[in-house]
Amino acid sequence: MDELDKELEGRGHRFVRYADDFQVYVKSKAAGERVMASLERFLKKRLRLKVNRGKSAVDRPWKRKFLGYGTTAGKKPRLKPDKKSVKRLKSKLKTLFRRGRGKSLARTVEELNPILRGWVNYYRLAEVKGVFEELDQWIRRRLRLLLWRQWKRPRTRFKRLRQRGLDHDRAKRSAYNGFGPWWNSGASHMNQAVPTSTFVRMGLVSLVQQHSKLASNS
């Protein structure tokens, strides 16, 4: 594909390419249509390659993804993990959380950390921190959900909440509230009983902090 790079450079286009995946940036939709048609002819004639129209399009940069990255809208776009990449990560972690119902929280954290480090390392070039903050919050909630389910009975939940610092009346109301596990995992009583500091002591990787470290070292 080096010949394609030289062709695009010769035309003065701004572009990015990795293997056979590439994007070309122009100022208007009309220009994009012309470039698309021209590149299709070039690839077919010179390199004997056919453009996959199902995966190719003329569109706004923030409506497309490249190697798992997306961008924000506007004149000064910023890199961020693509929504589908975030969705795939959550799906993978949900499988791990389901397996963790019979394990200690510390063991689940140990299994989580390599996945989180690898993911944030790949997205070290991202400039939008909100994605990492939201994921950190979601992961902590999932871990609280795991605990709530492990406690099973209201009587056990009452006991555990008392052990973790809640007063008698609040622990009893929370343990017997009748709401589902997901609601309870995000409720204030679980945030008080299992604060962020608990996960810090366990060594849970924070995507926000890990990303900041990687960004400062790059």
Side-chain angles (χ1 to χ4, degrees), residues 174-202:
S174 301
Y176 290 86
N177 62 36
F179 291 106
W182 182 245
W183 184 90
N184 278 283
S185 68
S188 60
H189 55 266
M190 279 301 283
N191 278 273
Q192 181 182 336
V194 194
T196 301
S197 59
T198 299
F199 303 119
V200 172
R201 288 195 298 272
M202 287 183 176

Side-chain angles (χ1 to χ4, degrees), residues 79-96:
L79 288 173
K80 64 177 183 178
D82 180 68
K83 290 181 180 179
K84 289 184 179 179
S85 298
V86 174
K87 188 176 181 179
R88 282 195 299 270
L89 174 66
K90 283 187 172 183
S91 179
K92 184 175 183 178
L93 295 184
K94 283 179 182 177
T95 300
L96 188 150

